[in-house]
């Protein structure tokens, strides 16, 4: 059974940085695509990034492209999301989820991927 745990969230000022980590058990990272989804208060969930062994450069939504970087460490069974140039609009709970197909879905479909999704990690950006 795939179980993922998100960590690394916290408080940051606009322009600041955070690094989120998604680790898990019950799966081999190379066999799955791992995506990041976020949900801000009062808003619909948004798929923002995904990485797989077939797409090692990762996919990004327009809202985070150029500011966030996704990476993976197979040895640690971990996926990271580096958040740079943070904006107040990035405030949300961030979740990771595993797609067992091994391929990243279109980011607007990423919210439908729920395998292993954890409790999320809160990111708050405010001055």
């Amino acid at each position: 059974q795939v179980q993922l745990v998100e960590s690394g969230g916290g408080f940051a000022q606009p322009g600041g940085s955070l690094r989120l980590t998604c680790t898990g058990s019950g799966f081999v990272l190379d066999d799955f695509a791992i995506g990041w989804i976020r949900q801000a208060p009062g808003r619909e969930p948004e798929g923002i990034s995904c990485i797989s062994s077939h797409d090692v450069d990762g996919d990004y939504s327009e809202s985070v492209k150029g500011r966030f970087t996704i990476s993976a460490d197979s040895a640690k069974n971990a996926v990271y999301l580096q958040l740079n140039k943070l904006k107040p609009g990035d405030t949300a709970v961030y979740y990771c989820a595993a797609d067992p197909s091994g391929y990243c879905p279109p980011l607007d479909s990423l919210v439908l991927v729920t395998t292993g999704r954890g409790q999320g990690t809160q990111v708050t950006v405010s001055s």
Side-chain angles (χ1 to χ4, degrees), residues 52-64:
S52 75
S53 61
H54 306 283
D55 183 6
V56 297
D57 291 330
D59 298 331
Y60 300 93
S61 66
E62 288 301 318
S63 61
V64 306

Side-chain angles (χ1 to χ4, degrees), residues 2-8 19-25 27 29 33-36 51 70-73 76-81 94-98 115-118 121:
V2 178
Q3 292 185 314
L4 301 174
V5 177
E6 304 91 346
S7 63
R19 189 174 85 152
L20 308 184
T21 300
C22 172
T23 58
S25 61
F27 72 106
L29 183 61
I34 303 295
W36 285 95
I51 193 169
I70 194 170
S71 61
D73 185 336
K76 297 182 178 180
N77 233 31
V79 170
Y80 307 100
L81 189 67
Y94 286 68
Y95 304 88
C96 60
T115 301
R117 191 184 296 188
T121 187

Side-chain angles (χ1 to χ4, degrees), residues 28-39:
V28 175
L29 183 61
D30 286 347
D31 294 338
F32 287 77
I34 303 295
W36 285 95
I37 301 108
R38 68 184 182 183
Q39 186 164 19

